[in-house]
Amino acid sequence: MNLYRRTFSALGRFWTQLLTASALSALHGLLSAMMLWMIGPLLMTLFSANAPSLAGLPDFSSTTAAGEGIKESLKQFVESLVAAPDRQGTLIQFCKIILIVVLLRAVIYYIQNVIMAFVQQSVVRHFRDQLFEKYQRLSLAWFHRQRTGDIVSRVTNDVQVLNGALDLGFNHLVGESTQVIAFASILFIISWKLTLFSFIVLPVIFGFIWFIGKKLRKYSERSQERMSEVTSVLEEAVNNIRIIKAFSMEEFEKSRFMAATSRYFRSLLRMARVRHLASPTNDILAMVAFVAILYYAGSQIISGGGEIDAGDFLTFLVAMFSMIKPVKSLTQIQVKLEEGMAAAQRVFEVIDAEETVADPPQPRKLQSTIEEIRYDKVAFSYHTGIPVLTDVSFSVRRGEIIALVGPSGAGKSTLVDLLPRFYDPTGGTILFDGIDIRHVTLASLRGLMGIVTQETILFNDTVRSNIAYGLVEVSQDNIERAARMANAHEFILQLRDGYDTVVGQRGVMLSGGQKQRLAIARALLKNPQILILDEATSALDTESEVQVQEAIDRLMGSRTTFVVAHRLSTVQHADRILVIDKGKIVETGKHDELLTKGGLYNRLYEMQFRNRP
């Protein structure tokens, strides 16, 4: 029940619109009942030869005194609306009233649905905004445990399924309930005995619907998981299309995608078999009750000993048939709600996910100038019991260039990932001028940093927007100045639209060196105090590396810089080199000092340069 309450609490902000829509929906239901009630008098007016106007209204002598009073009131109401001197005039009045009621119903239906469409889409937007906002607050570790397709599917598919539940769960609930109550009241007024007899089957119907709904929640959750698999395979295939074609893996990827869609297809079929079992079963049960009533009351009318006459019975049957549609709609609400709750559960799993890297309750803001950065006995593990860093301690003064080198998997990139709090240490602390970075705002911490990595991420936007990413009201002169310092201005001018050229998804329209220079221009424009270069030149050819390295030298300037590198030629001029192996600092010193020690750095250097002339 908590899941229902939490889901529908999103509607609380729209109580005015909901009350208005509910009132209109109820009025629509009452007008439908009014149309039904007028059927009897209309038929008697048309086919009764003895009465000039409304003398042929159904005889309700078998109802209780209370029912008789209600019947008389309704009779007088209808008579006041359509009374005329003769049958022709009464017919004309009936036609006028019917047209007016139909027009009112159409207008009310339109307004009510427009209001509810606004509410529904607002709630959908609310949940999508909540999910996206939550994604921005979750740590990188959370994203590493998720499939991209699943992340996307929760925002698109799951929220859309939830929207369907909100539509039926509220939009139809009031209107259909009003119609059912109104039609049931007419049935009771005509014959309470027949009505009670017909309602015997309702508990069976609703019990069956409840059972179907429970099954559907399980199947719906499974189908949404299968849909996220399809999205994941599709996203991976699109992002890695170059590799797929390079290895001629089109058929493999096609079979992988088709396997995912086949699993999704089977889950949908299982859900469809259960969902569509409800409607025919309900129809059969309702028709059994109808046939029983038809036989019983019909036999009484034929024998002349029945408590109602043919006109009463005709009105009763029309009311029963009219009630089938809203009753079926109400039974579908439980089915849709269970599907929606499965989607809501997946949505709230994200919203409730723990934010392991977040601002503290009373955060501090860092000063604009940091004199010292210190790692104090820092340890880190991605998985419990498998250490990546162990007891790492060192300090960096303002303006120093610190190089981190070592074998693959030694923990170099992890060490610098802790600096902007992409992850938090599992042991020890990182201090900026003596302040634990977990006690400061993420915005002030990351605002001091510029990061250039081996895998440069660009957005499917213009060159200008990618360079100025995260900054507002940046002049074209400043953008071009940063591009020149990054050795990017010349190649940008040669692009089709210059700085207005769209670079494609993840910068696919540019070479590796061009993307790196745009990333450096972005960092230069931000003018960070602390710079992190993580394998920034390792994937480039020699010519591109020279241009990028020139740009990096300008970028480092007097900034405090952390350089992670496999190519030792790029770190020879660092103020200090930290050699990391198996998560520990095993050597420290300048390039020449480390070579003379004959340790790990010397071995790595010899492996890279032994075959060079």
Side-chain angles (χ1 to χ4, degrees):
M1 185 57 68
N2 181 55
L3 187 60
Y4 282 93
R5 183 170 61 251
R6 188 175 180 187
T7 302
F8 283 92
S9 65
L11 297 169
R13 297 179 299 154
F14 307 100
W15 64 270
T16 304
Q17 292 93 335
L18 291 175
L19 286 177
T20 303
S22 299
L24 290 172
S25 186
L27 182 56
H28 183 273
L30 291 174
L31 288 174
S32 299
M34 178 181 172
M35 288 281 291
L36 175 64
W37 181 257
M38 293 177 67
I39 288 176
L42 175 60
L43 292 176
M44 299 305 286
T45 297
L46 292 174
F47 303 114
S48 174
N50 299 323
S53 57
L54 295 175
L57 276 171
D59 177 16
F60 298 108
S61 57
S62 62
T63 59
T64 62
E68 182 67 24
I70 296 172
K71 183 267 295 183
E72 288 299 330
S73 298
L74 291 174
K75 174 183 176 182
Q76 291 173 10
F77 174 70
V78 173
E79 190 170 357
S80 67
L81 291 176
V82 300
D86 53 29
R87 293 170 64 193
Q88 184 68 29
T90 301
L91 179 60
I92 293 173
Q93 287 297 104
F94 266 118
C95 293
K96 290 180 180 178
I97 294 299
I98 290 171
L99 287 175
I100 292 171
V101 171
V102 169
L103 180 62
L104 280 175
R105 285 179 61 202
V107 172
I108 289 171
Y109 180 81
Y110 173 77
I111 296 174
Q112 186 257 346
N113 277 278
V114 168
I115 293 174
M116 282 307 301
F118 168 79
V119 173
Q120 286 173 239
Q121 295 308 316
S122 297
V123 172
V124 168
R125 184 182 67 175
H126 166 72
F127 278 117
R128 282 181 173 150
D129 289 350
Q130 262 197 314
L131 283 170
F132 190 81
E133 182 184 4
K134 183 71 174 187
Y135 286 157
Q136 306 313 304
R137 298 199 305 269
L138 289 170
S139 68
L140 288 181
W142 184 88
F143 285 94
H144 293 164
R145 294 192 299 268
Q146 308 296 321
R147 295 174 303 182
T148 303
D150 192 49
I151 294 171
V152 174
S153 182
R154 291 177 198 254
V155 178
T156 54
N157 184 61
D158 291 355
V159 172
Q160 198 57 45
V161 172
L162 183 56
N163 178 44
L166 292 174
D167 176 32
L168 277 178
F170 194 93
N171 192 17
H172 288 215
L173 182 62
V174 175
E176 310 294 0
S177 298
T178 302
Q179 288 189 47
V180 169
I181 293 171
F183 293 154
S185 299
I186 293 174
L187 294 176
F188 268 102
I189 291 172
I190 295 175
S191 174
W192 64 271
K193 292 181 181 179
L194 285 179
T195 303
L196 289 179
F197 179 73
S198 66
F199 283 3
I200 290 175
V201 76
L202 286 182
V204 179
I205 293 176
F206 284 112
F208 181 73
I209 292 301
W210 178 84
F211 172 76
I212 291 293
K214 291 299 180 184
K215 286 284 185 183
L216 274 176
R217 177 184 288 201
K218 180 178 70 173
Y219 290 146
S220 178
E221 185 173 359
R222 191 174 300 166
S223 71
Q224 287 155 34
E225 290 172 357
R226 296 290 181 263
M227 182 60 199
S228 67
E229 287 180 9
V230 172
T231 309
S232 292
V233 175
L234 176 61
E235 188 269 341
E236 288 176 0
V238 171
N239 286 340
N240 300 314
I241 191 66
R242 181 187 294 269
I243 298 297
I244 292 171
K245 291 185 176 299
F247 285 83
S248 298
M249 296 298 288
E250 291 91 346
E251 289 300 318
F252 172 77
E253 289 299 327
K254 186 173 74 173
S255 63
R256 198 161 72 102
F257 183 77
M258 292 175 69
T261 56
S262 178
R263 288 191 291 271
Y264 179 52
F265 170 74
R266 289 196 298 270
S267 69
L268 286 181
L269 278 186
R270 281 193 293 268
M271 191 166 66
R273 283 196 293 266
V274 175
R275 180 196 293 136
H276 295 305
L277 182 63
S279 183
T281 303
N282 292 339
D283 289 345
I284 291 172
L285 293 172
M287 192 54 63
V288 168
F290 170 75
V291 169
I293 293 169
L294 177 63
Y295 178 78
Y296 170 76
S299 299
Q300 295 292 318
I301 292 171
I302 292 172
S303 65
E307 62 178 12
I308 60 175
D309 59 21
D312 300 337
F313 187 52
L314 179 61
T315 304
F316 187 91
L317 291 181
V318 173
M320 263 197 77
F321 271 114
S322 299
M323 198 167 66
I324 290 176
K325 181 179 179 295
V327 167
K328 286 180 67 175
S329 181
L330 288 175
T331 59
Q332 288 297 313
I333 289 176
Q334 173 67 13
V335 173
K336 280 292 184 182
L337 279 178
E338 292 298 342
E339 292 181 24
M341 290 309 101
Q345 190 166 344
R346 284 169 51 83
V347 169
F348 289 128
E349 280 176 4
V350 174
I351 293 175
D352 296 336
E354 182 183 3
E355 298 174 22
T356 55
V357 177
D359 286 342
Q362 296 179 325
R364 301 172 60 177
K365 284 190 176 182
L366 287 172
Q367 300 298 319
S368 57
T369 302
I370 301 299
E371 297 295 336
E372 181 191 49
I373 299 172
R374 181 156 55 94
Y375 282 68
D376 186 14
K377 297 181 179 178
V378 170
F380 180 78
S381 299
Y382 290 106
H383 305 287
T384 304
I386 307 177
V388 177
L389 298 173
T390 305
D391 195 28
V392 175
S393 297
F394 66 94
S395 60
V396 182
R397 300 297 301 173
R398 180 185 175 190
E400 274 194 291
I401 300 174
I402 301 297
L404 306 175
V405 302
S408 296
K412 305 182 296 297
S413 294
T414 300
L415 192 64
V416 294
D417 281 346
L418 298 178
L419 204 61
R421 287 192 70 196
F422 291 156
Y423 310 92
D424 278 336
T426 52
T429 55
I430 300 175
L431 307 168
F432 278 33
D433 288 342
I435 302 172
D436 189 334
I437 61 174
R438 287 173 289 198
H439 297 161
V440 304
T441 64
L442 287 169
S444 68
L445 174 67
R446 294 171 182 172
L448 297 175
M449 301 179 189
I451 302 174
V452 181
T453 63
Q454 174 183 345
E455 183 184 6
T456 303
I457 305 300
L458 298 178
F459 295 90
N460 189 19
D461 206 337
T462 63
V463 170
R464 177 186 293 104
S465 297
N466 273 286
I467 294 176
Y469 181 72
L471 303 174
V472 294
E473 297 182 358
V474 180
S475 69
Q476 179 66 20
D477 288 342
N478 287 335
I479 292 174
E480 290 185 11
R481 186 178 301 112
R484 286 191 178 93
M485 292 180 67
N487 285 343
H489 181 68
E490 296 300 325
F491 88 76
I492 293 173
L493 293 182
Q494 294 174 8
L495 297 176
R496 183 181 60 185
D497 298 315
Y499 281 86
D500 291 319
T501 302
V502 176
V503 300
Q505 190 75 22
R506 302 172 69 89
V508 69
M509 306 300 291
L510 304 176
S511 69
Q514 289 172 335
K515 287 192 287 187
Q516 284 291 59
R517 281 176 275 170
L518 287 190
I520 293 169
R522 178 194 294 164
L524 282 164
L525 190 61
K526 185 180 179 181
N527 193 25
Q529 184 186 154
I530 301 167
L531 183 62
I532 298 174
L533 303 172
D534 189 356
E535 307 283 5
T537 63
S538 63
L540 302 179
D541 57 63
T542 303
E543 182 179 355
S544 296
E545 182 182 358
V546 170
Q547 293 179 312
V548 170
Q549 192 60 53
E550 287 178 0
I552 287 176
D553 292 340
R554 296 192 190 102
L555 177 60
M556 288 192 294
S558 59
R559 295 177 174 88
T560 303
T561 305
F562 292 80
V563 181
V564 178
H566 279 300
R567 293 186 181 180
L568 302 187
S569 59
T570 62
V571 300
Q572 294 181 17
H573 302 295
D575 295 315
R576 199 165 6 132
I577 299 172
L578 306 181
V579 184
I580 301 174
D581 188 26
K582 297 179 182 178
K584 296 180 179 180
I585 298 176
V586 295
E587 293 178 330
T588 303
K590 288 182 175 292
H591 172 71
D592 293 335
E593 296 173 3
L594 293 174
L595 286 180
T596 59
K597 287 183 179 180
L600 177 59
Y601 183 84
N602 183 64
R603 293 199 302 273
L604 293 173
Y605 187 82
E606 286 184 351
M607 281 190 292
Q608 286 191 18
F609 292 96
R610 67 175 53 162
N611 295 324
R612 294 194 179 186

